[in-house]
Amino acid sequence: MKVLSISSQVVWGPVGNSAAVPALQAKGHEVLALPTVMLSNHPGHGAPAGLRVQAEDMARMFAALEALGALSGLDALLTGYFASVGQVEEVARLLDRIPVPFLLADPVMGDHGRLYVPRDVAEAIRRHLLPRANCLTPNAFELAWLSGNEVTDEASAIAAARSLSLPEVLATSVPAHDGLATLLVTPDGVHRITAPKLVKVPNGTGDFLSGLYLAARLEQAPRQAFASAMRTLARAIALSSGTTVLNVAGALHGS
């Protein structure tokens, strides 16, 4: 399949496209990766050096790719971190011009009770991408913010996900009685996988899961794609225990 992936790009420590793209490529999908920002590292490792792709430059890149025919026959679009409202709007304009059968929107906006992107960027994601999405992959905070409903446990997370009226919501970091739950909510039902709450997990697990789920979802039904993606994510977390960088390569190659 052919996938356009739009998110952050970092040199060291896989997050954003650096985590999602390898997951897609490992399944044999062709990936066109377009960065919203290019950074030396995730801010969690210290102040990064880098630059933001301006919305005007993104629009020019889209135009050049369209002129080349590179965006024809897209099977899916994955969106992640956005640095400006203009970037979100350019993606919305692209979606209005080019038919894309499957949009997975990873609303990289915040965690631990707060937004870490400007509020107008979060509002742009809600306004422009949610109505177009086939699948949303929020953490518990992002799900609560986007739905306007409190998320404190699995029942409230399921209610919040259903309130969005999307075909698929893959919610992560949901408080559960036996740890943290990851929930796949579809019109047909709810699938859950729980894991112990760990003290320290490297950055990038959400980005990696989005790439893993989309990679599998392009070939499988939601339930099977969810199980496959979660197995690989669990392997990555186990391999990364005690480190600060998610072991994407090891997880994908089963070592």
Side-chain angles (χ1 to χ4, degrees), residues 19-211:
V21 170
L24 289 156
Q25 291 174 328
K27 285 286 190 179
H29 301 304
E30 177 188 359
V31 186
L32 286 65
L34 194 153
T36 54
V37 294
M38 291 174 282
L39 302 174
S40 57
N41 54 272
H42 186 280
H45 297 300
L51 57 92
R52 173 191 298 185
V53 175
Q54 298 301 316
E56 301 79 27
D57 294 320
M58 180 178 284
R60 283 193 286 269
M61 284 191 278
F62 285 155
L65 290 167
E66 288 179 79
L68 291 168
L71 299 184
S72 63
L74 279 178
D75 295 289
L77 170 61
L78 186 155
T79 64
Y81 175 81
F82 287 100
S84 71
V85 172
Q87 290 179 341
V88 181
E89 292 174 342
E90 287 303 330
V91 171
R93 292 188 188 102
L94 179 71
L95 286 166
D96 288 341
R97 295 195 305 271
I98 296 178
V100 179
F102 197 93
L103 168 60
L104 187 153
D106 182 5
V108 182
M109 302 174 355
D111 203 356
H112 304 299
R114 68 179 184 87
L115 290 171
Y116 48 61
V117 300
R119 187 178 183 88
D120 60 351
V121 173
E123 290 172 345
I125 291 170
R126 180 165 57 190
R127 182 168 63 254
H128 294 296
L129 297 185
L130 256 64
R132 296 171 166 88
N134 302 92
C135 178
L136 189 74
T137 60
N139 61 36
F141 170 78
E142 291 160 345
L143 176 59
W145 196 91
L146 289 167
S147 68
N149 297 317
E150 188 177 22
V151 173
T152 57
D153 55 17
E154 292 181 74
S156 59
I158 293 166
R162 292 210 184 283
S163 74
L164 296 173
S165 300
L166 293 175
E168 300 167 34
V169 176
L170 179 55
T172 64
S173 303
V174 176
H177 69 276
D178 49 353
L180 289 176
T182 302
L183 305 173
L184 175 63
V185 183
T186 71
D188 298 328
V190 177
H191 308 289
R192 69 186 292 271
I193 293 177
T194 60
K197 185 175 182 179
L198 302 176
V199 175
K200 186 174 183 181
V201 176
N203 295 310
T205 55
D207 306 297
F208 191 39
L209 179 58
S210 293

